[in-house]
Amino acid sequence: MSTNKKKNDGFANKQMLSRAIKDSFVKLNPKTQLQNPVMFLVYISAILTTGLFILSLFGIRDAKPAFIFGIALILWFTVLFGNFAEAIAEGRGKAQADALRAAKKDVEANRIPSLTERNQITKISSAQLKKGDLVIVNAGEQIPADGEVLDGAASVDESAITGESAPVIRESGGDRSAVTGGTTVISDWLVIQVTSEAGESFLDKMIAMVEGASRKKTPNEIALQIFLVALTIIFLLVTLALYPYSAFAASQAGKANQTSVTSLVALLVCLAPTTIGALLSSIGIAGMSRLNQANVLAMSGRAIEAAGDVDILMLDKTGTITLGNRQACEFVPVDGVDIKELADAAQLSSLADETPEGRSVVVLAKQQFGIRGRNLSGMNAQFIPFTAKTRMSGVDFMGNEIRKGAAEAVKEYILEKGGVYSASCEDAVKRISNHGGTPLVVAKNGKVLGVIHLKDIIKDGVKEKFADLRKMGIKTIMITGDNPLTAAAIAAEAGVDDFLAEATPEGKLKMIREFQQQGHLVAMTGDGTNDAPALAQADVAVAMNTGTQAAKEAGNMVDLDSSPTKLIDIVRIGKQLLMTRGSLTTFSIANDLAKYFAIIPALFMSVYPGLAALNIMGLHSADSAIFSAIIYNALIIVALIPLALRGVKYREVTASQLLSRNLLVYGLGGIAAPFIAVKLIDLLIVAIGIV
């Protein structure tokens, strides 16, 4: 999905602009306009003033034909600018959808009757596959449909979906068994059970979401729109009341002409919250687009908004807070053993250990004591692999036995050999555990040499990120299967607010429910089937794309990069969406206050000369004031489109600080901008003789 990310990072390209301009006219369809009540009012006003202009050509004049024509033209531009704001926001999604459609194609699938009948292959179009069918996919073939790996393990190229060129491993069992149609197997083979019908695949859902076809208005959007409609109705009633009032006032003052219908229509459009009305939809679409560009697929706009309101973050320790691989950081000798002897034995026992922990032991011995890998061919070495049953690994060579492993396992091994498991070794094990580390005891020929300290490495910058989240009032909770002592030490080092040790699916679910009962909004990540209940309960549930089908179905977002730290970015995007909508709403309403001073005094100065005192801008005439305000009303929509698309700059501050800043910048700024802009437009149109 991110193959075109670089191209779409800017405001827009030529292709997007041309498509948006075309869509701006297509959206003039009354059914489309009716979906936005505030802009529908402007649409009706444009039609009304156009009709008044046509009537004026036949002698039925509400005002000067040139004046009516100018107002009608500007109102049509206002409608088109509002359509353009929405169309340019949709343009990014359409560009992403086009790239995804290019990856989606009908391929030939190898359907098999069952796992035991793999040789009975039936060639079938991927469009004809049904949920539950079994297919076998070999190296070089495209996976024909979404599914679950039942057998095999293979490298899969998912660049068509994620934009990342590095292949990933997909295998049966565990939490990396889900595969996506449209990706390609590049080594080995997989037997896959289809989990979606044709047209309902993950790729189909992605296309629908990024294109906006399935986007529904969120509760916050609906609430704001109801508020805007209420304001518009109030201003409509006020404007309707002004027409008979102006007629009465003109007759009382002995004036021949009352305020024209065209002027009152222009007043209504300026009074109504047209700025935020025009940009409201584009803000929501742009927020979803920013999430898509972060390679996260949101199943609903409600999920993005919920991310902005989240105040509890539940994060897995491994891969999110820590690098995911424990590293050897210290050799701790016991009972007078030379530390170099311990390091040498530890390295020997780890030479065949291809785990990250094993490799880190070899590296640490080399760095601290210069001990390098040696030639084992003449030593008749026999390596003992680690097993879940023995919880040890090691090497036998030239009559020597070296073992390393969990403290309890090595203790049992030592006692069986008739050796002594000393108190100093137990103290070292406890000390390492209490500091959040994992102790590996090393023994040679039935004697304990010492302990290797394995440490979870905290990711760079994580502590600072958690501090920023704390400033925003978000509580972070680390979820881990470690014992409470280890979990507490890592939590303290990482700077999280709380932790859940020895976590179980039931424990996660219980904790989420307790927080929700207290009125909190909870976000969490997960990838396994055992995470599904908690994901289904969480307000914002981010499932990993590498995870099981159950996890993806339970979540309301899917991270295509399968990066647990993405949850922090999702919260930021959600908050930025809410900040942008709030800031532009503040600016729009503040704008209206300033426009009152531009139009209302100018409209009634001829009837009530005393209102000239309110003409604080010193506008040239009633016509120039109306023209200036209505032109500004149209141009400000265009000026704010980049801000609506990019979003208000995100800041890690408290809600009260954010409110104060937005009121200062967008509240006072919204009042000041029209005073300056309307005056400049007034001077310009008078100078060039428009009025």
Side-chain angles (χ1 to χ4, degrees), residues 45-57 60 68 72 76:
S45 299
I47 294 173
L48 176 60
T49 50
T50 302
L52 290 173
F53 170 68
I54 294 171
L55 289 175
S56 71
L57 297 179
I60 306 173
I68 302 174
W76 280 117

Side-chain angles (χ1 to χ4, degrees), residues 228-246:
L228 297 179
V229 169
L231 281 180
T232 302
I233 292 173
I234 291 170
F235 291 131
L236 177 62
L237 294 175
V238 169
T239 305
L240 289 173
L242 282 175
Y243 183 76
Y245 176 76
S246 66

Side-chain angles (χ1 to χ4, degrees), residues 4-241:
N4 291 334
K5 191 184 290 187
K6 289 183 179 179
K7 293 181 183 179
N8 293 337
D9 276 344
F11 171 63
N13 54 40
K14 289 182 179 179
Q15 185 179 359
M16 285 172 59
L17 283 172
S18 60
R19 176 188 273 183
I21 292 171
K22 178 183 176 182
D23 288 348
S24 299
F25 287 93
V26 173
K27 288 176 179 289
L28 289 176
N29 185 316
K31 289 183 179 179
T32 305
Q33 292 298 312
L34 194 56
Q35 294 174 7
N36 188 334
V38 177
M39 293 309 295
F40 183 69
L41 175 70
V42 184
Y43 179 71
I44 294 298
S45 299
I47 294 173
L48 176 60
T49 50
T50 302
L52 290 173
F53 170 68
I54 294 171
L55 289 175
S56 71
L57 297 179
F58 294 96
I60 306 173
R61 296 186 175 181
D62 172 66
K64 295 177 183 178
F67 177 76
I68 302 174
F69 175 77
I71 295 297
L73 187 64
I74 296 166
L75 290 178
W76 280 117
F77 272 113
T78 304
V79 175
L80 287 171
F81 290 160
N83 290 347
F84 180 76
E86 185 173 36
I88 199 71
E90 291 174 347
R92 290 183 176 183
K94 288 179 179 178
Q96 290 170 335
D98 290 342
L100 289 171
R101 282 197 185 91
K104 184 177 182 291
K105 55 185 178 182
D106 194 14
V107 297
E108 193 174 61
N110 303 317
R111 188 171 65 182
I112 59 175
S114 67
L115 285 173
T116 57
E117 300 172 294
R118 297 178 193 172
N119 294 328
Q120 299 181 28
I121 294 175
T122 304
K123 299 289 185 180
I124 184 175
S125 168
S126 59
Q128 295 177 298
L129 289 172
K130 302 293 182 184
K131 189 174 181 180
D133 284 350
L134 298 184
V135 295
I136 184 167
V137 188
N138 298 304
E141 295 178 347
Q142 189 177 99
I143 294 173
D146 293 356
E148 199 84 21
V149 179
L150 296 186
D151 195 15
S155 295
V156 178
D157 177 8
E158 295 188 340
S159 58
I161 307 297
T162 66
E164 301 297 332
S165 57
V168 295
I169 301 298
R170 293 290 177 265
E171 57 190 346
S172 59
D175 296 337
R176 295 181 178 271
S177 59
V179 291
T180 305
T183 57
T184 304
V185 174
I186 58 177
S187 74
D188 303 297
W189 55 269
L190 297 172
V191 175
I192 299 165
Q193 183 176 44
V194 177
T195 56
S196 65
E197 300 285 349
E200 299 177 0
S201 69
F202 187 64
L203 201 56
D204 291 315
K205 292 177 182 177
M206 285 175 63
I207 291 171
M209 289 303 299
V210 301
E211 200 172 31
S214 61
R215 179 183 178 272
K216 297 180 180 179
K217 290 181 179 178
T218 63
N220 283 348
E221 270 186 291
I222 294 171
L224 179 56
Q225 191 167 71
I226 291 172
F227 172 67
L228 297 179
V229 169
L231 281 180
T232 302
I233 292 173
I234 291 170
F235 291 131
L236 177 62
L237 294 175
V238 169
T239 305
L240 289 173

Side-chain angles (χ1 to χ4, degrees), residues 301-378:
R302 183 192 296 258
I304 305 176
E305 284 194 351
D309 287 328
V310 158
D311 56 357
I312 300 288
L313 278 184
M314 295 179 65
L315 303 154
D316 278 330
K317 181 201 75 174
T318 305
T320 305
I321 296 171
T322 65
L323 292 175
N325 300 318
R326 290 169 296 187
Q327 304 288 305
C329 65
E330 183 185 11
F331 295 115
V332 183
V334 298
D335 303 329
V337 172
D338 182 64
I339 189 171
K340 191 170 182 179
E341 181 185 357
L342 168 62
D344 181 68
Q347 189 189 68
L348 274 171
S349 67
S350 303
L351 288 174
D353 187 350
E354 289 301 318
T355 65
E357 292 88 349
R359 288 195 294 269
S360 72
V361 172
V362 175
V363 171
L364 184 64
K366 177 182 174 181
Q367 289 176 341
Q368 290 192 351
F369 304 104
I371 304 174
R372 298 180 179 275
R374 62 218 72 188
N375 183 10
L376 299 174
S377 58

Side-chain angles (χ1 to χ4, degrees), residues 48 73 76 78 83 167 213 246 259 338 391 402 412 485 533 536 547 557 623 640 645 688:
L48 176 60
L73 187 64
W76 280 117
T78 304
N83 290 347
S246 66
T259 304
D338 182 64
R391 295 191 296 158
I402 300 177
E412 186 177 334
L485 282 175
M557 291 188 187
D623 287 355
L640 291 175
L645 295 183
I688 61 180

Side-chain angles (χ1 to χ4, degrees), residues 662-689:
N662 284 351
L663 287 176
L664 179 65
V665 175
Y666 296 98
L668 293 180
I671 293 174
F675 279 99
I676 299 169
V678 169
K679 179 60 179 177
L680 291 175
I681 295 171
D682 181 74
L683 293 173
L684 179 63
I685 62 176
V686 171
I688 61 180

